[in-house]
Amino acid sequence: MMKKQRISPDETKLQLLKAGMHLFGLQGFEGTRTRELAQMAGVNQAAIPYHFGGKEGLYLAVARYVVKRGSDQMKSEVEMIQHTLRDGKLVKVEAEHMLMRFFFAFMDNIILSEDLSDRSRFILREYSTPGAGFEIIYEGMLGKIHKLLCVLVGTIEGENPESERVILKTHALFGTVVGNALTRNLLFRRLDWENFTPERIERMKQAVAEIVCHGLNLGDPNKYLET
Amino acid sequence: MMKKQRISPDETKLQLLKAGMHLFGLQGFEGTRTRELAQMAGVNQAAIPYHFGGKEGLYLAVARYVVKRGSDQMKSEVEMIQHTLRDGKLVKVEAEHMLMRFFFAFMDNIILSEDLSDRSRFILREYSTPGAGFEIIYEGMLGKIHKLLCVLVGTIEGENPESERVILKTHALFGTVVGNALTRNLLFRRLDWENFTPERIERMKQAVAEIVCHGLNLGDPNKYLET
DNA sequence: GTCTATAGTCGGATAGAC
DNA sequence: GTCTATCCGACTATAGAC
């Protein structure tokens, strides 16, 4: 007993993945030093080239890790929807509830733990620098979620879920949710917040729900489009 | 005549600002090399420390340049709204039209020229890395726009424009617009687009207008919130 | 597998001629 | 003000002992 504390190889990799998710998300790829990563992970700097083939290898591994954790988290929501779809019995009223449930689950997931906050920052950064990382996240997660949402919106509106119209509308709707995460710093400034809390998220959900359910009740949209 | 082509100091600075807006927006601060910046600007690498005190000085100057150009562009819309507000005669129906006009102008501005595309990329990046640059953009532009939108939404809903409820709702609404820019790569993948065109933007406006005007027509939002 | 030490590269700022 | 050349610090990857 009491022999030198030495973590397992798997633990070394895991700690590096966590550190990478955090630091890459905050500072970007070039803005993050391998020494920082190693220090935060509590491992040696040389462990990065050894285990991941280099800094870039670690970055891509982090992207896959983010996808894996995100998929696990949304799994129950996604499976419920897919199950109903497979039965071919998805009707409007169910689609409505599933859409809202999904949005709310997404908002909870975006925010409510440090790990999740790291994940959302990492993903946000991928939006602005599409590359191999975005590819991994799109293929593994984002694309699937988006398609699923389009199925729900298409069902609600009685239209082809892969039509341009439904995709654009779904994307705009999704913006009400992801915008809260992507532009969180703007929101924080406006409300003098320094973080999200469960109570605040409930009030954000209320606002999102109102928009999704009936926008601003302005009547025929076309009257604004005839410019 | 025909003496050695030598650009003016102002031109040197301008070219560096343009190159900075483009490259910083695409690659981030650390991801961009001063040699790249100088080459794209067609000037000498040593001109960066000379004119801007260093790479970081150039970055902040770019942030101010982005604010200036953005303010100029939105000036007519903003002034029209402010003018009406000063007269104290803003009524619901006008607020509705102004809100939509503003959203549409914003969408046009986000997208429709290379310069604008560079600007929006630069701003997007600031969202994910708040720092001195975000400060400049918030103080000079984003905050003002957000407050103005809240006034419009508050007027439409007959509520205090600076109440948390109105701010959250405005932010969610604004998400339908900015989301199209922030998550453009997701949208492009889903629709097999490689860029925006005026026609595509018109169809995006249609989708945004529908959401803003009446969401998905789902009835009482509270029925989804009682979890 | 992990560690220390270091090699090798690169990038930003500077010096100084023009 | 602009240019070339260069310095100096910082970073990643590697070598090699344990």
Side-chain angles (χ1 to χ4, degrees), chain A residues 12-20 37-38 41 43 47-48 52 58 62:
Chain A
T12 297
K13 288 192 226 181
L14 181 64
Q15 291 306 321
L16 278 170
L17 289 172
K18 286 184 180 171
L37 291 161
V43 305
I48 295 169
F52 295 97
L58 174 57
V62 169

Side-chain angles (χ1 to χ4, degrees), chain B residues 48-99:
Chain B
I48 294 169
Y50 181 80
H51 284 289
F52 296 97
K55 185 183 176 185
E56 192 163 346
L58 173 57
Y59 189 83
L60 296 177
V62 169
R64 285 187 290 271
Y65 178 70
V66 162
V67 165
K68 168 125 189 44
R69 292 190 60 86
S71 303
D72 289 352
Q73 192 117 26
M74 301 300 285
K75 203 175 165 192
S76 62
E77 300 296 326
V78 169
E79 280 181 354
M80 191 185 68
I81 296 172
Q82 285 176 333
H83 187 263
T84 314
L85 287 176
R86 261 195 300 277
D87 293 356
K89 61 175 185 192
L90 183 67
V91 294
K92 188 169 182 294
V93 63
E94 284 170 344
E96 290 173 12
H97 273 88
M98 285 180 181
L99 184 71

Side-chain angles (χ1 to χ4, degrees), chain A residues 34-131:
Chain A
T34 53
R35 284 172 174 80
E36 279 183 291
L37 291 161
Q39 188 184 14
M40 171 165 281
V43 305
N44 195 276
Q45 187 254 348
I48 295 169
Y50 181 80
H51 284 289
F52 295 97
K55 186 184 175 184
E56 191 163 346
L58 174 57
Y59 189 83
L60 296 177
V62 169
R64 285 187 289 270
Y65 178 69
V66 162
V67 164
K68 169 127 188 44
R69 292 192 58 85
S71 302
D72 288 351
Q73 192 119 26
M74 302 299 285
K75 203 174 166 189
S76 61
E77 302 295 326
V78 169
E79 280 182 353
M80 191 185 69
I81 296 172
Q82 285 177 332
H83 187 263
T84 314
L85 287 176
R86 259 194 302 276
D87 293 357
K89 61 176 185 192
L90 182 66
V91 293
K92 189 169 182 295
V93 63
E94 284 169 345
E96 290 173 12
H97 273 88
M98 285 179 181
L99 184 70
M100 297 307 289
R101 275 196 54 160
F102 196 93
F103 277 174
F104 292 163
F106 199 88
M107 289 177 72
D108 287 333
N109 285 358
I110 275 172
I111 294 154
L112 281 184
S113 82
E114 252 321 295
D115 170 72
L116 284 161
S117 187
D118 287 347
R119 282 221 306 274
S120 69
R121 257 194 300 263
F122 187 91
I123 294 171
L124 162 56
R125 194 169 286 276
E126 285 304 317
Y127 276 118
S128 53
T129 321

